[in-house]
Amino acid sequence: ILGGYEAKPHLRPYMASLQLDGQHICGGFLIAEQWVLSAAHCTEETDGKVFQVLLGAHSLTEPEPHKRLYRVRAQIPHPGSNIHNNKDDLLLLQLEEKAELNAHVQVLPFQREDRDVAADTVCEVAGWGTISHSGHRPDKLYQVERPVISRDVCNHRTRHDRTITEKMMCTDSRRKDTCKGDSGGPLVCNGVAEGVVTAGSRVCGNYKKPAIYTRIAPYVAWIDSVMASAAG
Ligand SMILES: NCc1cccc(Nc2n[nH]c3ncnc(Nc4cccc(O)c4)c23)c1
């Protein structure tokens, strides 16, 4: 997160850190007791290794009550996701067991109605991604508020030039923005997850490249079917 600030500990109890060998790779969030939603691109440089999911954390390294690392039973990328574009950039992770819910570990509701969030709506995004252009990785969760920008503005030829589909949304990226390691985290508008951070052009903090999110509502059928099929 660039231009943001340290989050108040445990006020975002749905936040997940997707880790490999103890290192934070991507964000994610708890959508059900045994399910985390993240971004498919997060599996790109993992050469087939399976993530572990840290829940209940504020600090990545310090011991904290209710902080717990979960093994992952299955990682299911959306069938339409691919390395060449940002389409269908979603990843479902089934935890080895149901997460123990408490004050620090909670599910975040996601938007089920497929309707665009109005431009200028101020939403929040949090993550353990880099907090400087030099790539400084924070130990604590950071967050920032960002206004939604319309798809037409985001698709302008000087911005993302018609690559933003109706299954994506954008927020202003002037100074305050998502960055490396924030992918997979939720864009929360009025307490509801509306989008999932995708890296897009990978640029951070440049107003010419607004932040891009995969909208969740268009994927409700896929999410529900995967969770139902693997249930039990
Ligand atoms: N703002 C959109 C967005 C969301 C999520 C991730 C990303 N960026 C990145 N995703 N993956 C990356 N691998 C290497 N470098 C990256 N960006 C980077 C790193 C240092 C300085 C800087 O100006 C940009 C990214 C960008």
Side-chain angles (χ1 to χ4, degrees):
I1 300 281
L2 292 187
Y5 51 95
E6 186 180 329
K8 295 254 170 313
H10 314 296
L11 286 191
R12 298 170 186 288
Y14 47 79
M15 282 303 296
S17 165
L18 273 53
Q19 308 201 338
L20 286 180
D21 306 321
Q23 184 183 345
H24 171 82
I25 304 293
C26 270
F29 59 108
L30 206 60
I31 59 166
E33 286 180 285
Q34 204 160 349
W35 293 90
V36 167
L37 184 61
S38 184
H41 280 265
C42 291
T43 62
E44 264 167 27
E45 289 132 26
T46 64
D47 52 86
K49 276 185 259 171
V50 176
F51 288 114
Q52 288 185 308
V53 172
L54 182 66
L55 295 177
H58 179 59
S59 161
L60 292 175
T61 58
E62 293 161 16
E64 295 171 333
H66 306 302
K67 181 176 168 181
R68 192 171 146 193
L69 199 58
Y70 286 85
R71 293 195 183 296
V72 168
R73 178 179 298 171
Q75 284 180 180
I76 303 134
H78 189 281
S81 61
N82 62 79
I83 59 169
H84 305 294
N85 59 43
N86 300 309
K87 286 186 177 158
D88 304 331
D89 188 15
L90 294 177
L91 177 71
L92 276 167
L93 300 105
Q94 184 183 28
L95 304 178
E96 269 289 357
E97 61 186 290
K98 285 188 177 181
E100 194 181 326
L101 302 185
N102 53 59
H104 293 186
V105 180
Q106 283 295 320
V107 166
L108 175 66
F110 55 85
Q111 183 58 259
R112 291 179 167 271
E113 275 180 57
D114 191 351
R115 200 173 329 122
D116 280 332
V117 177
D120 300 330
T121 303
V122 176
C123 303
E124 313 166 318
V125 59
W128 288 276
T130 52
I131 55 173
S132 73
H133 282 286
S134 59
H136 178 72
R137 288 175 292 163
D139 176 59
K140 309 275 183 21
L141 184 68
Y142 272 66
Q143 71 178 64
V144 74
E145 282 71 38
R146 297 316 296 141
V148 171
I149 62 173
S150 74
R151 189 169 295 104
D152 286 353
V153 167
C154 202
N155 264 327
H156 193 273
R157 62 185 154 71
T158 62
R159 301 308 195 265
H160 287 299
D161 193 11
R162 286 164 292 186
T163 61
I164 308 300
T165 69
E166 82 290 351
K167 294 180 174 176
M168 300 171 190
M169 65 186 289
C170 301
T171 60
D172 176 87
S173 51
R174 198 174 69 79
R175 239 175 33 74
K176 302 176 181 183
D177 194 11
T178 49
C179 201
K180 181 177 182 184
D182 291 323
S183 296
L187 179 71
V188 183
C189 312
N190 301 313
V192 176
E194 292 281 354
V196 175
V197 177
T198 187
S201 58
R202 293 188 155 189
V203 169
C204 307
N206 181 334
Y207 79 100
K208 293 250 176 181
K209 294 298 172 200
I212 307 171
Y213 307 81
T214 304
R215 293 182 56 239
I216 299 170
Y219 296 93
V220 163
W222 174 70
I223 293 168
D224 285 347
S225 67
V226 167
M227 291 200 294
S229 67

